[in-house]
């Protein structure tokens, strides 16, 4: 079989770990007050939805209540 002599086919890939840029990126712009309020409102809405679904779903997960499948309705008792 034919084997290549260089371990990495491109020399710039091998030198990529040693390259450091001296250019710093610009600082990120600060969020304004309406943006912060909007983000917190979205976060509170998500948390309220999760808490509400948990509160509404807990009675359905309760295993201590007797199952209503075995009960007969009042209409079927007269038969």
């Amino acid at each position: 079989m034919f084997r290549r002599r260089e371990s990495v086919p491109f020399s710039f890939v091998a030198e990529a770990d040693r390259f450091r840029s001296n250019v710093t990126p610009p600082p990120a712009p600060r969020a304004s007050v309406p943006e912060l309020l909007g983000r917190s409102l979205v976060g509170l809405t998500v948390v309220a939805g999760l808490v509400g679904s948990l509160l509404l779903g807990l009675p359905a997960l309760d295993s201590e209540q007797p199952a209503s499948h075995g009960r007969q309705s009042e209409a079927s008792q007269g038969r």
Side-chain angles (χ1 to χ4, degrees):
M1 287 276 183
F2 178 73
R3 184 178 169 145
R4 294 185 131 167
R5 292 186 182 201
E6 54 183 318
S7 61
V8 180
F10 302 102
S11 62
F12 65 86
V13 174
E15 296 173 359
D17 292 335
R18 291 180 273 163
F19 177 75
R20 297 284 182 214
S21 175
N22 60 354
V23 178
T24 58
R30 296 187 67 178
S32 63
V33 174
E35 288 177 345
L36 290 175
L37 289 175
R39 290 177 188 172
S40 61
L41 184 63
V42 168
L44 285 174
T45 304
V46 169
V47 169
L50 291 173
V51 169
S53 65
L54 182 65
L55 289 175
L56 292 175
L58 279 179
L61 296 174
D62 191 14
S63 62
E64 293 181 10
Q65 292 180 350
S68 62
H69 301 304
R71 296 184 189 167
Q72 292 182 347
S73 65
E74 293 178 12
S76 65
Q77 288 178 357
R79 290 186 175 180

